[in-house]
Amino acid sequence: PTLSMLSSIVEKRMEQNIIAGIIFLIIGIILEVFTTSLWRLCEKWKSKDGKAPSSSYVVLIRTLGALVILLGLLLLSGTI
């Protein structure tokens, strides 16, 4: 492989990391901000009373959201 080919591969990889990082940030923010709405959409029908998500569900989804945001930031920074 020539130097220009390697340079092209690196540039494409960086573009992919930026796109993936933005997607992960959006998903993470959605998980953090719309926790209850996501519960209503995906899990409410499984609940007997169907009034509100359990505290463990909220903690789990928000922790997952924080991890996804962290992954997005790492991708954008070029660390991964």
Side-chain angles (χ1 to χ4, degrees):
T2 65
L3 186 57
S4 63
M5 288 174 61
L6 291 175
S7 176
S8 174
I9 291 170
V10 169
E11 286 178 20
K12 286 182 182 180
R13 175 77 176 176
M14 289 174 59
E15 289 174 11
Q16 290 173 349
N17 281 353
I18 291 171
I19 293 169
I22 291 170
I23 291 170
F24 278 107
L25 279 176
I26 291 169
I27 291 171
I29 291 169
I30 288 171
L31 289 172
E32 288 288 329
V33 174
F34 299 108
T35 305
T36 304
S37 298
L38 288 170
W39 176 82
R40 272 190 241 120
L41 181 67
C42 301
E43 305 291 334
K44 183 178 179 179
W45 65 274
K46 297 177 187 176
S47 175
K48 287 184 181 181
D49 61 359
K51 293 182 180 179
S54 66
S55 59
S56 59
Y57 176 86
V58 171
V59 168
L60 177 69
I61 296 300
R62 290 201 172 151
T63 302
L64 180 63
L67 291 174
V68 172
I69 289 172
L70 179 62
L71 179 59
L73 291 173
L74 289 173
L75 283 168
L76 286 174
S77 71
T79 305
I80 296 180

